[in-house]
């Protein structure tokens, strides 16, 4: 399982989504240094989220079972993450910064599952799909 590349991809995706939402609503030129600085906490959040919520599903299995785990647990994971993110947005009264955080967290978590599954599939199972 190539977790480091997944974390790097997740960090870039999350940073892009986070700042695109903010740019569309409330961005001033003096905020640009924060775009670069924000990569550090975003990468920490992505790493913790991947290690705590996604890696345990895939840590003790062989490669053939990965698609079964993805098909079985991913829908429930997506529902729970969506509900938590929506609740966070609701409680923030739809403020732009929490919206950008929760939207980037949701899409990054969903895409991280896909990256981990794709990285761990056997070549013969990839060609069947």
């Amino acid at each position: 399982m190539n977790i480091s590349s997944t974390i790097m991809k997740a960090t870039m995706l999350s940073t892009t989504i986070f700042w695109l939402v903010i740019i569309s609503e409330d961005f001033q030129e003096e905020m640009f240094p924060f775009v670069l600085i924000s990569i550090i906490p975003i990468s920490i959040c992505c790493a913790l989220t991947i290690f705590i919520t996604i890696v345990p599903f895939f840590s003790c299995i062989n490669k053939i079972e990965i698609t079964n785990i993805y098909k079985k647990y991913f829908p429930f994971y997506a529902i729970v993450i969506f509900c938590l993110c929506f609740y966070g947005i609701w409680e923030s009264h739809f403020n732009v910064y929490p919206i950008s955080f929760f939207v980037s967290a949701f899409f990054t978590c969903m895409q991280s599952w896909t990256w981990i599954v794709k990285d761990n599939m056997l070549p013969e199972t990839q060609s069947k799909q």
Side-chain angles (χ1 to χ4, degrees):
M1 185 174 338
N2 196 354
I3 299 298
S4 59
S5 71
T6 302
I7 291 171
M8 289 181 1
K9 290 184 230 176
T11 300
M12 290 300 111
L13 176 66
S14 189
T15 303
T16 303
I17 293 171
F18 181 81
W19 285 105
L20 281 176
V21 172
I22 291 175
I23 286 171
S24 68
E25 289 292 319
D26 182 35
F27 188 79
Q28 294 96 26
E29 289 180 20
E30 52 272 357
M31 292 174 73
F32 184 73
F34 294 113
V35 173
L36 299 175
I37 293 171
S38 71
I39 293 174
I40 296 168
I42 288 173
S43 66
I44 292 170
C45 287
C46 288
L48 287 173
T49 302
I50 289 170
F51 278 118
I52 293 171
T53 67
I54 299 173
V55 170
F57 286 100
F58 299 103
S59 61
C60 299
I61 58 168
N62 62 27
K63 293 181 186 280
I64 296 172
E65 295 176 1
I66 287 178
T67 54
N68 294 337
I69 286 178
Y70 180 77
K71 290 175 184 176
K72 185 175 183 180
Y73 295 111
F74 178 74
F76 298 113
Y77 181 86
I79 291 167
V80 169
I81 293 298
F82 176 79
C83 291
L84 290 174
C85 289
F86 183 75
Y87 178 73
I89 291 170
W90 182 272
E91 285 298 311
S92 72
H93 303 289
F94 298 94
N95 190 351
V96 70
Y97 295 104
I99 286 174
S100 63
F101 173 78
F102 288 115
V103 167
S104 65
F106 175 75
F107 286 112
T108 302
C109 287
M110 298 302 102
Q111 188 61 38
S112 294
W113 269 78
T114 306
W115 287 325
I116 289 174
V117 168
K118 271 188 171 179
D119 287 346
N120 290 307
M121 286 177 57
L122 293 172
E124 60 269 8
T125 51
Q126 283 182 347
S127 63
K128 291 179 183 176
Q129 297 188 7

